[in-house]
Amino acid sequence: MTKNRRPVNIAIDLAMLIVIALVSVSGFILEVVIPSRHAVRMHGADSWCSHLCGLGRHGWGDVHLWAGVALLVLLAVHILLHLNIVSAFFKRKCPNRTLRMVLYVFLLMLLLITIMPWFYMFH
């Protein structure tokens, strides 16, 4: 890694840490603090409140969703910035070229499975 890319890497890593914390906190709020009506009615969950920091369950759901999207985008940028390191890792751990190509295709399929629902959402 060159010195001029180090601040970018640090900024992206810090942003990922913040977004991971936001996903975690919003998930906790959705599961424990403001559970769904179904969970309260059917499973005996305790609802501590119906709103927190001015947001209800749907508002926190939006925060959770978009923080997850931001995390995926930041993760993609992080991997692209470290593509040489990732490639060297796969070459070292999987020296068989054919097997490595199968692994790359598998990872690409996982990426497509992750991305495809978003195309449906914005269609």
Side-chain angles (χ1 to χ4, degrees):
M1 170 176 37
T2 61
K3 282 190 176 190
N4 57 355
R5 279 194 0 195
R6 186 168 291 154
V8 173
N9 284 328
I10 290 171
I12 289 174
D13 292 349
L14 183 61
M16 283 178 64
L17 179 63
I18 291 167
V19 173
I20 286 170
L22 188 56
V23 168
S24 178
V25 167
S26 62
F28 176 81
I29 289 169
L30 288 169
E31 186 67 26
V32 176
V33 179
I34 312 174
S36 67
R37 282 188 222 151
H38 177 76
V40 170
R41 239 180 298 151
M42 301 301 217
H43 302 292
D46 290 329
S47 180
W48 294 4
C49 59
S50 62
H51 284 76
L52 183 66
C53 298
L55 294 175
R57 180 164 177 78
H58 292 286
W60 280 106
D62 289 343
V63 169
H64 189 72
L65 171 72
W66 290 110
V69 170
L71 181 59
L72 286 175
V73 169
L74 288 168
L75 179 64
V77 171
H78 177 83
I79 290 171
L80 286 174
L81 286 174
H82 296 89
L83 202 53
N84 292 336
I85 297 169
V86 172
S87 179
F89 172 80
F90 281 126
K91 283 181 183 175
R92 190 171 11 116
K93 292 295 182 184
C94 186
N96 183 330
R97 181 171 159 67
T98 305
L99 190 57
R100 197 168 55 242
M101 286 300 134
V102 169
L103 180 63
Y104 287 148
V105 168
F106 177 71
L107 292 174
L108 182 62
M109 287 173 49
L110 285 177
L111 176 66
L112 290 175
I113 289 170
T114 303
I115 293 173
M116 289 308 289
W118 293 100
F119 290 124
Y120 175 76
M121 183 176 164
F122 293 116
H123 178 240

